[in-house]
Amino acid sequence: MMNKGMDLLSIHELSTDDVEEILILAEELKAKQKAGIPHPLLQGKTLGMIFEKSSTRTRVSFEVGMYQLGGQALFLSSRDLQLGRGEPIKDTARVLSRYLDGIMIRTYGHERIEELARYADIPVINALSDLLHPCQALTDLLTIREHKGKNLAGLKMAYVGDGNNMTHSLMYAASKVGMHFAAATPEGYEPNAEVVANAKADAKATGATITVTHNPMEAVAGANVIVTDTWASMGQEAEHDARTAVFRPYQVNWELVAESGDARCIVMHCLPAYRGEEITEDVFEEFADVIFDEAENRLHVQKAIMALVMGD
């Protein structure tokens, strides 16, 4: 089970019980928040939020989450920190450990998060790196539980698009809960081979399967959940036009959704969504309730994570 002081850098490092603990607590905290029941589990605690990549959902959900838990969040832009002037991240980690109770970081290279965690004496939460996005993938599991039932084992999740940080973390998440996972990406945009190998090893313990293909129709066949993401992530704006041409056959449209064969199949998107690119306007709006449940659930999952690793 998760312990105070534990980092959350990757779902691969969590056990199946850890994932279940996060989801159960997230459900409890969501119910309390909806009922107006105070839950100050982090009274007097302070979270530092390092942003080297800007965000809407990440900043608001962590900041509001700390407030609802009775604590305080500090927004720390890299432009305002000495990090922006070249201070080593290991020195920043040791300084912030003297002031804070936890650190959340949203950045580019995953190695920066690993170094921060190695030198910090307080919990570090990965709010996004170019390699992994664990908070979003755990959020997606919570959302699927709400729409498909709490027993996720045996369901199939299909991801269609770029083999990016979302692909990696969803692959890890599915493997921990026994969901079959298939990713369809264009040639040259496949997920990281080491991540795929790790996910397949995790999947053996839960009876899940991990499949990577270039055929989106093959990936979604039999799927209960279809997930997509933007074709050009932050930092890839210059590649937008070239990527759009390559990814056009990977658009989530009604033809693709129908290929799942599940009349109750749901479509998810971590946002922001570019309608007419990775997903059509009509498919997005049909599943808007699910997608915005997903967006809301970032708040509840991250509160659960913070309470478990920063609480008493």
Side-chain angles (χ1 to χ4, degrees), residues 227-284:
V227 187
T228 190
D229 190 11
T230 178
W231 290 338
S233 298
M234 193 175 296
Q236 299 172 334
E237 290 83 0
E239 305 172 33
H240 175 268
D241 291 348
R243 281 175 167 263
T244 297
V246 171
F247 281 91
R248 183 61 64 187
Y250 295 82
Q251 183 185 72
V252 175
N253 51 38
W254 282 119
E255 180 183 3
L256 189 77
V257 175
E259 192 68 19
S260 72
D262 179 2
R264 296 182 61 250
C265 180
I266 60 173
V267 174
M268 299 173 63
H269 194 306
C270 63
L271 301 177
Y274 298 91
R275 296 159 173 82
E277 295 188 7
E278 73 273 6
I279 189 168
T280 60
E281 172 78 21
D282 51 353
V283 171
F284 183 94

Side-chain angles (χ1 to χ4, degrees), residues 5 8 10 34 37 67 87 99 113 140 182 198 245 269 297 310:
L8 200 160
S10 168
K34 295 293 185 185
I37 301 171
Y67 172 78
E87 181 176 49
Y99 301 147
I113 297 179
D140 290 357
N198 288 340
H269 194 306
N297 282 338
M310 293 171 60

